[in-house]
Amino acid sequence: MSTDDLETDLTRKTENSPRELLTRSFFFLCAALSVVTTISIVALLVTEAAKFFTLTAPLMGVTGETASIVDFLTGTTWQIHNKEFGVLALVSATLMITIGSAIIALPLGVATAIYLSEYASKQARSVLKPALEILAGVPTVVYGFFALIYITPAIGVVLPGIGTFNILSASIVVGIMIIPMVASISEDAMSAVPDDLRQAGYGMGATKFDVSTGIVVPAALSGIFSSFILALSRAIGETMAVTVAAGAQAKFLNPLDPSSYLEGALPMTAAMVQLLTGDITGGGLAYRSLFAIGLVLFVITLIMNIISDYVAQRYREAY
Amino acid sequence: MSHKENTAEVESSNMTGTEDPTNDEMLVQTDVSDGLSASTSVSETTNAETIIRADDINVWYGDEQALQNISMEIPENSVTAMIGPSGCGKSTFLRCINRMNDLIDVARVEGELTLRGKNVYDDDVDPVALRRRVGMVFQKPNPFPKSIYENVVYGLKIQGIEGDYDEIVEESLKRAALWDEVKDRLHESGLDLSGGQQQRLCIARAIATDPEVLLMDEPASALDPVATSQIEDLVEELAEDYTVVIVTHNMQQAARISDKTAVFLTGGELVEFDDTQKIFENPESQRVEDYITGKFG
Ligand SMILES: Nc1ncnc2c1ncn2[C@@H]1O[C@H](COP(=O)(O)OP(=O)(O)OP(=O)(O)O)[C@@H](O)[C@H]1O
Ligand SMILES: [Mg+2]
């Protein structure tokens, strides 16, 4: 009797019990669902975009109008009614908003993270962290109107004659939007730095500033970089705020020329919204260009993610 | 009374200021020119060798008392050992000397602890300046995630000490008995070293800035006998110019290297503080004798 019990206890039965199988399948299905969704979206993007280009359309059995892939990738004029699809006009606007928002959000986000992790008292933290989370939760269209109603007029005071729609206020508002992301991910990385290292610094006669900037930030660098890249991906993909604030007129601008930030332009995401909402001319070709832009956007964000993974691997926190 | 305030003011310039904190000549001179009225000059002469004086120090962590009424006088240019069972407050006492307890939210220190006559808990004392004069080697090795070289020069950089860094690095690593093992890989991460090597790196880092007082919390606990004896040699050598306060669980080590020994026992009391020889050969207290002979831990 007792030996029987022992045997049953020791043989592996649980792994194949029906309940175990059921739960395992359930979790597998959940995981599979997101993978399948991603694959379908990518497949849709690629096949629809293929119908847009002269080069690939025949393969997809499309006979109507098509566009040159070279003109698409190198052209700087985006005029749908003239059948000009130069995506660089849109890419330049997206790039400028990304640069502009990065200039605002990266330093402010890291400074906020340093404050939260190294300087803030328990009470200050308990107020600031939820405030940041709320900031991250505001619908982005609200940010767009905030830019239109407050930021642009405020810029107008300093720079009279600025248009209602401009890259600068779109950049500022996207910058504000992504600060919480930079701050909270960087703060997590800084809080994870072991206290021993701070003690070592203070023990050497370091000031709080020395410890924060010379020990904690370098030790948390990979987390901080990750926060940058995630925030930039977010800026690139941001749609509603820039649709409202940046303008509706596509224009190729030089991102390195500060004066071009005062002009309005059409970022990639806003162009896609325009195409989707349908008040455009250009027929099937214009509609299919939507997927071509989407594919470019997807590739850019994919590259950002790969860089982020690489950085996280390469500069893994080791303390 | 008014004189005391006066001294405090003069000396505070040295602990609150950012100018070279190791320049104690200046401190001594100010004292002499200032020591016209009787009280200090008497205490200065009678206790010329006392560098650190603890007067009725009590420490609490929250509601729990970790040290009870600790008073002792630590002589200059000597090695003072702190021994006692685990949890009796040795590390806590070390942290009182350089005010590292300030960094622990729940810690509360009461009493007076003077460094060359200046109470380090006075409001005008800058703990940063204090810690530049009182270096520390922690119980657990904690090198920075930087290169070996950068670890050693860290203190020099933040304290704005100039000099031939290469030479200081070599010198400090040699004194910490680590040079031969790392001289070919100074620019590799300090974290790639073994535990004992990391501890010696931390010692090199602490002595690179030439502090007046060096607090060492079980610096040899992770070292092999050879490295241990090298560190013991270093401690004895350091005591020619500096004051070393060292925590150790190793009785022989305390007996070998220290001039004075403080025996703490559970509950955070200082049971006996005397010349090392006296403590080990003829302690006043039965409890100390029991502890030293291993009857009580
Ligand atoms: N940061 C802290 N917060 C709360 N209590 C603490 C803290 N540090 C130490 N204590 C308590 O204070 C007492 C003394 O601790 P301390 O570290 O000074 O002992 P120790 O003599 O150095 O022991 P060991 O030989 O094990 O290092 C212990 O009871 C410990 O639990
Ligand atoms: Mg200890």
Side-chain angles (χ1 to χ4, degrees):
Chain A
M1 181 68 198
S2 63
T3 31
D4 269 6
D5 273 354
L6 232 152
E7 263 170 43
T8 24
D9 277 343
L10 289 175
T11 46
R12 277 181 167 232
K13 281 203 175 132
T14 44
E15 202 126 299
N16 296 316
S17 75
R19 211 179 101 205
E20 193 65 21
L21 275 176
L22 204 71
T23 44
R24 240 194 314 162
S25 329
F26 173 73
F27 289 126
F28 173 77
L29 279 178
C30 291
L33 191 66
S34 65
V35 175
V36 169
T37 316
T38 312
I39 291 173
S40 323
I41 290 175
V42 174
L44 177 80
L45 265 182
V46 171
T47 50
E48 291 297 313
K51 292 177 189 165
F52 175 70
F53 297 118
T54 320
L55 193 67
T56 47
L59 300 174
M60 307 303 297
V62 171
T63 45
E65 273 181 302
T66 54
S68 149
I69 190 164
V70 176
D71 289 350
F72 175 76
L73 290 176
T74 60
T76 54
T77 313
W78 184 270
Q79 280 176 355
I80 295 167
H81 51 95
N82 289 335
K83 307 244 177 317
E84 289 200 70
F85 297 97
V87 80
L88 289 185
L90 312 179
V91 172
S92 74
T94 297
L95 183 64
M96 286 168 65
I97 290 173
T98 308
I99 294 173
S101 58
I103 289 174
I104 292 162
L106 306 192
L108 278 178
V110 173
T112 308
I114 292 177
Y115 177 74
L116 281 174
S117 140
E118 304 303 308
Y119 287 83
S121 66
K122 275 212 180 78
Q123 297 97 299
R125 270 173 71 100
S126 68
V127 174
L128 269 166
K129 281 215 91 169
L132 272 181
E133 273 144 29
I134 291 170
L135 204 57
V138 175
T140 63
V141 66
V142 174
Y143 279 102
F145 281 108
F146 174 71
L148 218 52
I149 293 164
Y150 293 105
I151 299 179
T152 308
I155 299 170
V157 175
V158 188
L159 301 163
I162 194 167
T164 313
F165 300 104
N166 61 78
I167 297 281
L168 182 58
S169 56
S171 300
I172 294 174
V173 82
V174 173
I176 295 172
M177 274 174 57
I178 63 177
I179 286 174
M181 195 169 206
V182 177
S184 87
I185 299 174
S186 300
E187 200 256 343
D188 288 346
M190 291 180 199
S191 302
V193 173
D195 217 34
D196 283 6
L197 295 182
R198 294 185 183 85
Q199 301 254 343
Y202 288 122
M204 298 293 305
T207 60
K208 198 148 216 166
F209 180 80
D210 295 329
V211 170
S212 312
T213 57
I215 297 171
V216 178
V217 168
L221 214 53
S222 88
I224 295 172
F225 278 150
S226 298
S227 84
F228 286 179
I229 290 171
L230 286 172
L232 293 187
S233 302
R234 170 93 196 273
I236 292 169
E238 169 44 37
T239 308
M240 285 323 291
V242 300
T243 304
V244 175
Q249 205 59 51
K251 190 191 273 178
F252 179 77
L253 296 165
N254 175 6
L256 300 177
D257 175 7
S259 69
S260 44
Y261 286 79
L262 303 179
E263 299 194 45
L266 186 68
M268 287 189 274
T269 48
M272 291 171 76
V273 172
Q274 233 181 39
L275 289 162
L276 271 172
T277 47
D279 53 342
I280 36 123
T281 51
L285 186 61
Y287 174 73
R288 288 198 298 275
S289 74
L290 178 67
F291 294 94
I293 305 172
L295 190 60
V296 173
L297 203 52
F298 172 75
V299 170
I300 294 175
T301 9
L302 185 69
I303 292 172
M304 299 287 286
N305 277 331
I306 292 170
I307 296 175
S308 156
D309 278 357
Y310 172 78
V311 168
Q313 293 273 316
R314 175 76 179 68
Y315 300 97
R316 183 179 295 286
E317 276 106 348
Y319 357 85
Chain B
M1 182 64 203
S2 69
H3 173 75
K4 201 178 166 192
E5 277 168 25
N6 202 356
T7 324
E9 237 176 66
V10 172
E11 293 190 353
S12 72
S13 68
N14 210 295
M15 258 186 277
T16 47
T18 45
E19 75 273 21
D20 183 8
T22 56
N23 185 359
D24 45 356
E25 259 171 55
M26 188 187 125
L27 188 72
V28 172
Q29 267 176 7
T30 353
D31 270 345
V32 169
S33 61
D34 183 62
L36 291 171
S37 79
S39 63
T40 7
S41 32
V42 168
S43 70
E44 288 283 321
T45 41
T46 51
N47 298 307
E49 288 178 9
T50 298
I51 179 166
I52 296 164
R53 183 205 314 269
D55 195 1
D56 220 5
I57 290 280
N58 285 278
V59 180
W60 287 266
Y61 293 109
D63 294 332
E64 203 140 320
Q65 186 157 12
L67 286 179
Q68 300 186 27
N69 308 34
I70 307 296
S71 298
M72 70 169 89
E73 290 181 5
I74 295 175
E76 196 176 357
N77 298 351
S78 67
V79 179
T80 301
M82 312 260 144
I83 59 174
S86 185
C88 66
K90 305 178 298 292
S91 300
T92 301
F93 183 73
L94 276 198
R95 287 197 299 265
C96 288
I97 301 175
N98 64 347
R99 283 184 60 173
M100 288 297 281
N101 283 325
D102 289 17
L103 305 174
I104 301 172
D105 282 341
V106 294
R108 190 160 51 86
V109 179
E110 271 177 19
E112 204 170 89
L113 194 141
T114 58
L115 174 67
R116 293 192 193 280
K118 170 70 178 167
N119 183 6
V120 303
Y121 286 96
D122 278 350
D123 288 341
D124 60 352
V125 170
D126 178 5
V128 169
L130 170 68
R131 292 177 199 137
R132 291 179 179 192
R133 289 171 55 180
V134 182
M136 186 164 205
V137 177
F138 293 80
Q139 187 162 4
K140 210 176 120 212
N142 53 2
F144 299 124
K146 300 174 189 284
S147 71
I148 293 167
Y149 187 95
E150 285 298 323
N151 263 284
V152 181
V153 299
Y154 179 81
L156 304 170
K157 282 188 175 169
I158 56 159
Q159 299 187 18
I161 298 171
E162 282 167 20
D164 184 345
Y165 281 10
D166 291 350
E167 202 173 281
I168 298 175
V169 167
E170 180 172 345
E171 166 81 18
S172 309
L173 288 170
K174 274 184 177 158
R175 295 174 83 184
L178 186 60
W179 174 252
D180 288 332
E181 286 154 74
V182 301
K183 61 172 185 273
D184 299 320
R185 48 170 177 153
L186 291 177
H187 296 283
E188 284 172 31
S189 171
L191 295 175
D192 294 342
L193 299 174
S194 75
Q197 289 172 328
Q198 289 188 5
Q199 189 61 299
R200 280 174 282 157
L201 177 60
C202 293
I203 293 171
R205 179 176 70 185
I207 59 181
T209 55
D210 262 349
E212 289 168 67
V213 178
L214 189 61
L215 310 176
M216 304 177 104
D217 201 343
E218 291 186 55
S221 61
L223 303 184
D224 64 38
V226 175
T228 301
S229 88
Q230 283 167 325
I231 294 303
E232 288 179 8
D233 291 346
L234 166 72
V235 168
E236 289 184 307
E237 178 202 318
L238 284 173
E240 287 165 19
D241 302 306
Y242 309 100
T243 306
V244 180
V245 184
I246 185 168
V247 173
T248 175
H249 277 293
N250 180 331
M251 301 296 159
Q252 287 78 27
Q253 185 173 63
R256 266 197 306 270
I257 60 175
S258 68
D259 304 299
K260 293 256 183 189
T261 298
V263 187
F264 290 77
L265 288 179
T266 313
E269 26 169 353
L270 174 60
V271 184
E272 205 163 331
F273 176 66
D274 214 323
D275 291 338
T276 299
Q277 206 175 353
K278 171 103 175 29
I279 295 272
F280 281 91
E281 282 170 10
N282 185 22
E284 298 282 330
S285 147
Q286 187 60 40
R287 292 162 71 200
V288 170
E289 186 165 348
D290 288 349
Y291 176 69
I292 288 170
T293 53
K295 282 191 205 138
F296 159 72

